[in-house]
C-alpha cells in the first residue's frame, strides 16, 4: 500500500518510506525503484549522507525531524525537505517528509 498512489498513504507530494537500521529501503512511495536497495551511501544534493543521519537519529531517539536537500518527485527540482521519522521497532523506522522550498 505504501507504493500505491491511490492508497491513503499518499497526499499531494507526501508519501511514506520505510527503512531498516542497515539502510535497506523496504518501501518508498516517491520512488518504488528504491525498495529492496541499500541506500546507506546515498547523499543529498549537497553531499550529506542523510540516510546515515536518519539511522543515527533513530538510534538515539524514537522520533525526530531531519532536514536535507532532495529532488521533489512532482516538480523535479532540488528543494529543502524536512522529514519526520518514527521508530517502528529497534530495526525499522518509518518517515514522511515535506518540501518547503529552496
Amino acid at each position: 500500500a505504501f507504493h500505491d498512489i491511490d492508497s491513503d498513504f499518499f497526499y499531494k507530494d507526501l508519501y511514506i518510506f520505510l527503512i531498516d537500521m542497515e539502510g535497506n529501503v523496504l518501501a518508498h512511495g516517491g520512488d518504488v525503484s528504491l525498495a529492496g536497495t541499500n541506500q546507506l551511501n546515498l547523499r543529498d544534493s549537497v553531499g550529506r549522507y542523510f540516510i546515515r543521519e536518519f539511522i543515527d537519529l533513530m538510534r538515539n531517539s524514537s522520533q525526530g525531524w531531519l532536514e536535507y536537500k532532495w529532488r521533489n518527485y512532482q516538480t523535479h527540482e532540488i528543494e529543502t525537505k524536512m522529514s519526520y521519522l518514527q521508530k517502528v521497532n529497534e530495526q525499522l523506522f518509518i518517515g514522511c517528509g515535506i518540501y518547503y522550498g529552496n
Side-chain angles (χ1 to χ4, degrees):
F2 291 153
H3 293 150
D4 181 359
I5 199 163
D6 294 322
S7 74
D8 291 335
F9 296 107
F10 285 83
Y11 180 73
K12 297 183 181 181
D13 65 350
L14 300 177
Y15 56 85
I16 298 294
F17 53 88
L18 182 65
I19 303 175
D20 73 14
M21 296 300 275
E22 303 299 320
N24 298 305
V25 179
L26 305 175
H28 194 287
D31 186 350
V32 176
S33 71
L34 292 174
T37 66
N38 184 284
Q39 296 298 317
L40 193 61
N41 293 317
L42 183 63
R43 295 182 193 203
D44 73 0
S45 65
V46 296
R48 289 177 54 200
Y49 291 100
F50 68 98
I51 300 297
R52 292 179 187 184
E53 292 182 29
F54 283 178
I55 292 168
D56 288 343
L57 177 62
M58 291 293 93
R59 281 191 178 127
N60 296 307
S61 180
S62 63
Q63 61 188 18
W65 291 91
L66 196 108
E67 181 181 286
Y68 54 102
K69 299 284 189 175
W70 194 244
R71 178 176 57 93
N72 184 318
Y73 291 103
Q74 287 189 342
T75 68
H76 303 287
E77 299 291 326
I78 301 298
E79 298 180 25
T80 302
K81 187 170 188 177
M82 180 70 79
S83 284
Y84 176 75
L85 308 172
Q86 175 74 47
K87 191 182 288 185
V88 174
N89 58 39
E90 292 304 313
Q91 294 300 315
L92 298 172
F93 60 92
I94 194 166
C96 185
I98 185 166
Y99 298 96
Y100 62 94
N102 295 317

